[in-house]
Amino acid sequence: MEKSLRKEKEFKARRSEILKEAEKIFASKGFYLTTMSEIANASGFAIGTLYQFFTGKEDLYTRMICEKLEKMYSEIRETVNNSPTTAEKIENLVSTHFYFVENNVDFCNLFIRGEGATLSKGKTILRDKMIADYLNHIAFIENIMRIGIEERLIKAVEPRVMACVLFGIVRVFIYDWMLTNQEAPLSSRVGCALDIFMNGVRAEVPQC
Amino acid sequence: MEKSLRKEKEFKARRSEILKEAEKIFASKGFYLTTMSEIANASGFAIGTLYQFFTGKEDLYTRMICEKLEKMYSEIRETVNNSPTTAEKIENLVSTHFYFVENNVDFCNLFIRGEGATLSKGKTILRDKMIADYLNHIAFIENIMRIGIEERLIKAVEPRVMACVLFGIVRVFIYDWMLTNQEAPLSSRVGCALDIFMNGVRAEVPQC
Amino acid sequence: MEKSLRKEKEFKARRSEILKEAEKIFASKGFYLTTMSEIANASGFAIGTLYQFFTGKEDLYTRMICEKLEKMYSEIRETVNNSPTTAEKIENLVSTHFYFVENNVDFCNLFIRGEGATLSKGKTILRDKMIADYLNHIAFIENIMRIGIEERLIKAVEPRVMACVLFGIVRVFIYDWMLTNQEAPLSSRVGCALDIFMNGVRAEVPQC
Amino acid sequence: MEKSLRKEKEFKARRSEILKEAEKIFASKGFYLTTMSEIANASGFAIGTLYQFFTGKEDLYTRMICEKLEKMYSEIRETVNNSPTTAEKIENLVSTHFYFVENNVDFCNLFIRGEGATLSKGKTILRDKMIADYLNHIAFIENIMRIGIEERLIKAVEPRVMACVLFGIVRVFIYDWMLTNQEAPLSSRVGCALDIFMNGVRAEVPQC
DNA sequence: AATGAATGAGACTTCATTCAT
DNA sequence: CATGAATGAAGTCTCATTCAT
């Protein structure tokens, strides 16, 4: 019992180690230019050993992406759900996302690269998963919008559209930050992003 | 003279034919799962013939992407530059982009897939080109924002940020439309997108 | 009649032009790394035109070699046959050979490279031809040796062996000269080569 | 330790097996007409396995040639160096060379064929190596000549020239033997070759 | 007769996966 | 359970040759 417990633990530790190293290499070269042999080398295991943790290269890649995305989304959700007011929820939706990106630059590079929509011939598992994740996340934001509308914080237009816009703004800030590699941390842009989202860019019409 | 002219024309026509078919296949399977043999088959040429038009698979892919992007950006710019007012410029910036996407769904799929940032081992030509294109486009939008600020149409915050946001909104509308494949045409969302960009999502605070 | 004569002449001139250029390229890169396209370019004809003069790449190569070798051997033979004494025959056998090499360095490179023994799968035409040429030449020298023996200029050992040795000495002088690219002309070594051939290297035993 | 030793040994055995089979095929068809697939078949390995021992076809070919030449030259040198007198050194220089040829007919065919001076486009590694080997060997013989001169066995003309001549004689005997495929073993010609080298072909002038 | 674009067979090489040790 | 050598399918690209113009 104890023995099997330790084994279980060791197994997970090794698996994590592999995923960690794989992430770096995949991030720098993409799925196709990364070889199993490289991952084996980097993680200190033999090639054959990788196949005890994953059914193949594609599985390794897919799980790496999925587990990391899972982590990101759950972090965002948890923080948002724990925020008392809607305004704070919205703010944390953005700031947690930014925070994750800052701490996982390599991983996020994969998405700028964007690879992986279709890996092997027939399968679109990863593509489907990523679309599902997107739709899920949009639905999650949409819900917040809906609450905001009820609370009269947000105007009563299609909440889904607003959710998309917010997500689009988040994504473009990330994209721009990763490409331009600014000195300022991404998280310093939260206020800026939210201001435009909330108030738009139109100049204030002077009130009588 | 006449003869060489016709040859020139035929050459371009064949090259276009290849690019057209390659676009479809690349769009459906990505760079790596697409084979030269498939492109040859689809375009009705022998494999060797492809190499008279392009130096290799990578060249074929790169040129296909670049030429199409060139076309998109020039269309957008032309329309925008011909628009008399800033408001119209902004509107056309969005609508022309949407229009292009609607007419080039296959091609745009490549970007959802996002592949191609790094193709061969050392080269990042395509990646660099795409980043340059992005920065160029942002600069172009930024300029419009700047004019808008002078005209007091747009509020006086960093124009580059507003440019990014506008681009992000455009992109997320495209992304969402391509994933959900709505019945409504993408171009029907222009107004909606612009409204949020201009006015934000905040509920109107009732003025006393 | 006159017309066909001019045509005939033009045909030969073009053919020669092709062979001349082909020789240079083959000499610098060998048979396999030389392409028909290169030869076409260098000789100023279209690829297709080459096939009006030769049945293919192999034929072009084979004829180039054969005709040049033919020229060399006939030059040697003519000079030798016109030499009055056996001593002069032997001297000219060497000097004419050296002279040819000096004037056809490119061509001779092909033999240092030595390529061409077997070109296409089943055929050994060139190999056979070159072996035949070798044996012919040896027989020719052998005959001179035989005469020398009769004249008591040369000692009465197997004339074929002496022929081989003479040929071997000629060849090694050529080889060495081409590799070391000495400033001194190859022909300046004739005396030296012949001295060893005639007298050997043994120190003179002082006669009582 | 013991294990890795056995592995090392097995590795070398396999590598040798491949080289041995490759030698035969290369010898019969030359570098370009030999395919990796043939070598794989002949040696009983899969194509991919060849690439665990050699970086490519060219490497395989180059190493095969170089290692064999190395063997030949070291055999010759060892025997010569162990010979007490200069006369014996010279004799063994020839006889060991002949002996090697008799036992490596296939390999030596490659040199009659002579291929390999230039393999791939830019590289002349093999060519350079072979030239270096030639010059080395000539220098080695030259040294023996020099000693012979000191000992008054050999006459005092340029030792390098005599070295070349001796090498040329060796080579032409080999060449002739391989082409005519005589029943008599090559090694039976040592005396004959040396006699001409030492004494020349001139008829003895009858001493008073 | 001259052209040179098109052809496509076939070579080399890579690398995910397996399996005997 | 770990290992890593062996496998071989499959992809890219070259280039001699053909043939319509």
Side-chain angles (χ1 to χ4, degrees), chain C residues 140-158:
Chain C
F140 178 72
I141 305 178
E142 192 181 338
N143 217 40
I144 300 173
M145 294 297 114
R146 221 181 293 275
I147 296 171
I149 294 173
E150 280 171 24
E151 295 175 349
R152 306 206 179 236
L153 173 68
I154 286 171
K155 66 182 169 191
V157 297
E158 290 176 75

PDB file of all heavy atoms in Angstrom, chain C residues 140-158:
ATOM      1  N   PHE C 140      51.488  -1.434 -78.597  1.00  0.00           N
ATOM      2  CA  PHE C 140      52.259  -0.524 -79.448  1.00  0.00           C
ATOM      3  C   PHE C 140      53.668  -0.316 -78.883  1.00  0.00           C
ATOM      4  O   PHE C 140      54.671  -0.385 -79.603  1.00  0.00           O
ATOM      5  CB  PHE C 140      51.512   0.806 -79.542  1.00  0.00           C
ATOM      6  CG  PHE C 140      52.221   1.847 -80.352  1.00  0.00           C
ATOM      7  CD1 PHE C 140      52.295   1.743 -81.741  1.00  0.00           C
ATOM      8  CD2 PHE C 140      52.824   2.946 -79.731  1.00  0.00           C
ATOM      9  CE1 PHE C 140      52.950   2.714 -82.489  1.00  0.00           C
ATOM     10  CE2 PHE C 140      53.478   3.913 -80.472  1.00  0.00           C
ATOM     11  CZ  PHE C 140      53.538   3.799 -81.859  1.00  0.00           C
ATOM     12  N   ILE C 141      53.733  -0.075 -77.576  1.00  0.00           N
ATOM     13  CA  ILE C 141      55.043   0.127 -76.935  1.00  0.00           C
ATOM     14  C   ILE C 141      55.850  -1.173 -76.987  1.00  0.00           C
ATOM     15  O   ILE C 141      57.049  -1.172 -77.267  1.00  0.00           O
ATOM     16  CB  ILE C 141      54.873   0.574 -75.468  1.00  0.00           C
ATOM     17  CG1 ILE C 141      53.985   1.825 -75.376  1.00  0.00           C
ATOM     18  CG2 ILE C 141      56.238   0.856 -74.838  1.00  0.00           C
ATOM     19  CD1 ILE C 141      53.723   2.297 -73.966  1.00  0.00           C
ATOM     20  N   GLU C 142      55.132  -2.270 -76.734  1.00  0.00           N
ATOM     21  CA  GLU C 142      55.775  -3.585 -76.735  1.00  0.00           C
ATOM     22  C   GLU C 142      56.524  -3.806 -78.042  1.00  0.00           C
ATOM     23  O   GLU C 142      57.641  -4.336 -78.070  1.00  0.00           O
ATOM     24  CB  GLU C 142      54.685  -4.651 -76.565  1.00  0.00           C
ATOM     25  CG  GLU C 142      55.213  -6.027 -76.265  1.00  0.00           C
ATOM     26  CD  GLU C 142      54.069  -7.041 -76.133  1.00  0.00           C
ATOM     27  OE1 GLU C 142      52.924  -6.603 -75.871  1.00  0.00           O
ATOM     28  OE2 GLU C 142      54.320  -8.237 -76.303  1.00  0.00           O
ATOM     29  N   ASN C 143      55.887  -3.380 -79.095  1.00  0.00           N
ATOM     30  CA  ASN C 143      56.486  -3.542 -80.408  1.00  0.00           C
ATOM     31  C   ASN C 143      57.799  -2.772 -80.523  1.00  0.00           C
ATOM     32  O   ASN C 143      58.777  -3.272 -81.070  1.00  0.00           O
ATOM     33  CB  ASN C 143      55.502  -3.057 -81.465  1.00  0.00           C
ATOM     34  CG  ASN C 143      55.573  -3.937 -82.685  1.00  0.00           C
ATOM     35  OD1 ASN C 143      55.693  -5.162 -82.537  1.00  0.00           O
ATOM     36  ND2 ASN C 143      55.546  -3.340 -83.860  1.00  0.00           N
ATOM     37  N   ILE C 144      57.779  -1.589 -79.981  1.00  0.00           N
ATOM     38  CA  ILE C 144      59.005  -0.789 -80.001  1.00  0.00           C
ATOM     39  C   ILE C 144      60.092  -1.490 -79.195  1.00  0.00           C
ATOM     40  O   ILE C 144      61.255  -1.559 -79.608  1.00  0.00           O
ATOM     41  CB  ILE C 144      58.734   0.614 -79.442  1.00  0.00           C
ATOM     42  CG1 ILE C 144      57.673   1.311 -80.296  1.00  0.00           C
ATOM     43  CG2 ILE C 144      60.020   1.442 -79.422  1.00  0.00           C
ATOM     44  CD1 ILE C 144      57.219   2.631 -79.732  1.00  0.00           C
ATOM     45  N   MET C 145      59.664  -2.012 -78.059  1.00  0.00           N
ATOM     46  CA  MET C 145      60.627  -2.732 -77.213  1.00  0.00           C
ATOM     47  C   MET C 145      61.237  -3.905 -77.994  1.00  0.00           C
ATOM     48  O   MET C 145      62.427  -4.135 -77.990  1.00  0.00           O
ATOM     49  CB  MET C 145      59.940  -3.298 -75.957  1.00  0.00           C
ATOM     50  CG  MET C 145      59.428  -2.249 -74.978  1.00  0.00           C
ATOM     51  SD  MET C 145      60.754  -1.226 -74.271  1.00  0.00           S
ATOM     52  CE  MET C 145      60.356   0.377 -74.952  1.00  0.00           C
ATOM     53  N   ARG C 146      60.367  -4.598 -78.684  1.00  0.00           N
ATOM     54  CA  ARG C 146      60.799  -5.764 -79.442  1.00  0.00           C
ATOM     55  C   ARG C 146      61.879  -5.354 -80.470  1.00  0.00           C
ATOM     56  O   ARG C 146      62.909  -6.014 -80.610  1.00  0.00           O
ATOM     57  CB  ARG C 146      59.603  -6.387 -80.158  1.00  0.00           C
ATOM     58  CG  ARG C 146      59.589  -7.900 -80.123  1.00  0.00           C
ATOM     59  CD  ARG C 146      58.385  -8.444 -80.874  1.00  0.00           C
ATOM     60  NE  ARG C 146      57.117  -8.127 -80.207  1.00  0.00           N
ATOM     61  CZ  ARG C 146      56.594  -8.883 -79.216  1.00  0.00           C
ATOM     62  NH1 ARG C 146      57.248  -9.943 -78.771  1.00  0.00           N
ATOM     63  NH2 ARG C 146      55.444  -8.558 -78.684  1.00  0.00           N
ATOM     64  N   ILE C 147      61.599  -4.264 -81.136  1.00  0.00           N
ATOM     65  CA  ILE C 147      62.574  -3.766 -82.108  1.00  0.00           C
ATOM     66  C   ILE C 147      63.876  -3.403 -81.401  1.00  0.00           C
ATOM     67  O   ILE C 147      64.966  -3.739 -81.853  1.00  0.00           O
ATOM     68  CB  ILE C 147      62.006  -2.537 -82.853  1.00  0.00           C
ATOM     69  CG1 ILE C 147      60.779  -2.965 -83.658  1.00  0.00           C
ATOM     70  CG2 ILE C 147      63.063  -1.916 -83.748  1.00  0.00           C
ATOM     71  CD1 ILE C 147      60.004  -1.797 -84.249  1.00  0.00           C
ATOM     72  N   GLY C 148      63.707  -2.720 -80.235  1.00  0.00           N
ATOM     73  CA  GLY C 148      64.897  -2.341 -79.467  1.00  0.00           C
ATOM     74  C   GLY C 148      65.727  -3.548 -79.079  1.00  0.00           C
ATOM     75  O   GLY C 148      66.961  -3.500 -79.058  1.00  0.00           O
ATOM     76  N   ILE C 149      65.040  -4.621 -78.763  1.00  0.00           N
ATOM     77  CA  ILE C 149      65.757  -5.843 -78.394  1.00  0.00           C
ATOM     78  C   ILE C 149      66.553  -6.367 -79.590  1.00  0.00           C
ATOM     79  O   ILE C 149      67.732  -6.695 -79.478  1.00  0.00           O
ATOM     80  CB  ILE C 149      64.774  -6.927 -77.897  1.00  0.00           C
ATOM     81  CG1 ILE C 149      64.123  -6.476 -76.577  1.00  0.00           C
ATOM     82  CG2 ILE C 149      65.498  -8.266 -77.698  1.00  0.00           C
ATOM     83  CD1 ILE C 149      63.029  -7.381 -76.083  1.00  0.00           C
ATOM     84  N   GLU C 150      65.841  -6.394 -80.724  1.00  0.00           N
ATOM     85  CA  GLU C 150      66.528  -6.861 -81.933  1.00  0.00           C
ATOM     86  C   GLU C 150      67.762  -6.031 -82.220  1.00  0.00           C
ATOM     87  O   GLU C 150      68.805  -6.534 -82.638  1.00  0.00           O
ATOM     88  CB  GLU C 150      65.590  -6.797 -83.135  1.00  0.00           C
ATOM     89  CG  GLU C 150      64.614  -7.961 -83.208  1.00  0.00           C
ATOM     90  CD  GLU C 150      63.565  -7.733 -84.279  1.00  0.00           C
ATOM     91  OE1 GLU C 150      63.843  -6.962 -85.228  1.00  0.00           O
ATOM     92  OE2 GLU C 150      62.458  -8.299 -84.144  1.00  0.00           O
ATOM     93  N   GLU C 151      67.600  -4.730 -81.987  1.00  0.00           N
ATOM     94  CA  GLU C 151      68.713  -3.823 -82.264  1.00  0.00           C
ATOM     95  C   GLU C 151      69.747  -3.839 -81.141  1.00  0.00           C
ATOM     96  O   GLU C 151      70.687  -3.053 -81.153  1.00  0.00           O
ATOM     97  CB  GLU C 151      68.183  -2.390 -82.428  1.00  0.00           C
ATOM     98  CG  GLU C 151      67.281  -2.208 -83.632  1.00  0.00           C
ATOM     99  CD  GLU C 151      66.689  -0.802 -83.652  1.00  0.00           C
ATOM    100  OE1 GLU C 151      66.838  -0.089 -82.630  1.00  0.00           O
ATOM    101  OE2 GLU C 151      66.109  -0.415 -84.672  1.00  0.00           O
ATOM    102  N   ARG C 152      69.502  -4.652 -80.151  1.00  0.00           N
ATOM    103  CA  ARG C 152      70.400  -4.760 -78.999  1.00  0.00           C
ATOM    104  C   ARG C 152      70.536  -3.443 -78.226  1.00  0.00           C
ATOM    105  O   ARG C 152      71.523  -3.195 -77.539  1.00  0.00           O
ATOM    106  CB  ARG C 152      71.795  -5.242 -79.415  1.00  0.00           C
ATOM    107  CG  ARG C 152      71.715  -6.535 -80.208  1.00  0.00           C
ATOM    108  CD  ARG C 152      72.945  -7.352 -80.104  1.00  0.00           C
ATOM    109  NE  ARG C 152      72.741  -8.566 -80.879  1.00  0.00           N
ATOM    110  CZ  ARG C 152      72.863  -9.788 -80.351  1.00  0.00           C
ATOM    111  NH1 ARG C 152      73.207  -9.924 -79.101  1.00  0.00           N
ATOM    112  NH2 ARG C 152      72.654 -10.857 -81.077  1.00  0.00           N
ATOM    113  N   LEU C 153      69.518  -2.618 -78.370  1.00  0.00           N
ATOM    114  CA  LEU C 153      69.479  -1.400 -77.545  1.00  0.00           C
ATOM    115  C   LEU C 153      68.927  -1.748 -76.171  1.00  0.00           C
ATOM    116  O   LEU C 153      69.302  -1.201 -75.149  1.00  0.00           O
ATOM    117  CB  LEU C 153      68.564  -0.362 -78.217  1.00  0.00           C
ATOM    118  CG  LEU C 153      68.276   0.887 -77.406  1.00  0.00           C
ATOM    119  CD1 LEU C 153      69.561   1.707 -77.272  1.00  0.00           C
ATOM    120  CD2 LEU C 153      67.187   1.738 -78.077  1.00  0.00           C
ATOM    121  N   ILE C 154      68.045  -2.722 -76.197  1.00  0.00           N
ATOM    122  CA  ILE C 154      67.309  -3.062 -74.990  1.00  0.00           C
ATOM    123  C   ILE C 154      67.535  -4.523 -74.670  1.00  0.00           C
ATOM    124  O   ILE C 154      67.627  -5.351 -75.586  1.00  0.00           O
ATOM    125  CB  ILE C 154      65.805  -2.752 -75.199  1.00  0.00           C
ATOM    126  CG1 ILE C 154      65.634  -1.234 -75.148  1.00  0.00           C
ATOM    127  CG2 ILE C 154      64.933  -3.450 -74.194  1.00  0.00           C
ATOM    128  CD1 ILE C 154      64.277  -0.774 -75.544  1.00  0.00           C
ATOM    129  N   LYS C 155      67.562  -4.803 -73.374  1.00  0.00           N
ATOM    130  CA  LYS C 155      67.897  -6.169 -73.012  1.00  0.00           C
ATOM    131  C   LYS C 155      66.745  -7.129 -73.282  1.00  0.00           C
ATOM    132  O   LYS C 155      65.580  -6.716 -73.362  1.00  0.00           O
ATOM    133  CB  LYS C 155      68.353  -6.261 -71.561  1.00  0.00           C
ATOM    134  CG  LYS C 155      67.301  -5.942 -70.525  1.00  0.00           C
ATOM    135  CD  LYS C 155      67.964  -6.050 -69.136  1.00  0.00           C
ATOM    136  CE  LYS C 155      67.057  -5.495 -68.049  1.00  0.00           C
ATOM    137  NZ  LYS C 155      67.788  -5.368 -66.770  1.00  0.00           N
ATOM    138  N   ALA C 156      67.094  -8.377 -73.382  1.00  0.00           N
ATOM    139  CA  ALA C 156      66.120  -9.330 -73.859  1.00  0.00           C
ATOM    140  C   ALA C 156      65.260  -9.939 -72.757  1.00  0.00           C
ATOM    141  O   ALA C 156      65.285 -11.137 -72.511  1.00  0.00           O
ATOM    142  CB  ALA C 156      66.828 -10.435 -74.650  1.00  0.00           C
ATOM    143  N   VAL C 157      64.512  -9.058 -72.058  1.00  0.00           N
ATOM    144  CA  VAL C 157      63.495  -9.620 -71.155  1.00  0.00           C
ATOM    145  C   VAL C 157      62.146  -9.369 -71.803  1.00  0.00           C
ATOM    146  O   VAL C 157      62.041  -8.676 -72.815  1.00  0.00           O
ATOM    147  CB  VAL C 157      63.560  -8.995 -69.751  1.00  0.00           C
ATOM    148  CG1 VAL C 157      64.910  -9.315 -69.095  1.00  0.00           C
ATOM    149  CG2 VAL C 157      63.315  -7.515 -69.795  1.00  0.00           C
ATOM    150  N   GLU C 158      61.101  -9.954 -71.170  1.00  0.00           N
ATOM    151  CA  GLU C 158      59.750  -9.840 -71.737  1.00  0.00           C
ATOM    152  C   GLU C 158      59.458  -8.418 -72.211  1.00  0.00           C
ATOM    153  O   GLU C 158      59.368  -7.489 -71.401  1.00  0.00           O
ATOM    154  CB  GLU C 158      58.715 -10.150 -70.647  1.00  0.00           C
ATOM    155  CG  GLU C 158      58.643 -11.586 -70.200  1.00  0.00           C
ATOM    156  CD  GLU C 158      57.644 -11.700 -69.043  1.00  0.00           C
ATOM    157  OE1 GLU C 158      56.430 -11.631 -69.326  1.00  0.00           O
ATOM    158  OE2 GLU C 158      58.083 -11.783 -67.878  1.00  0.00           O
TER     159      GLU C 158
END
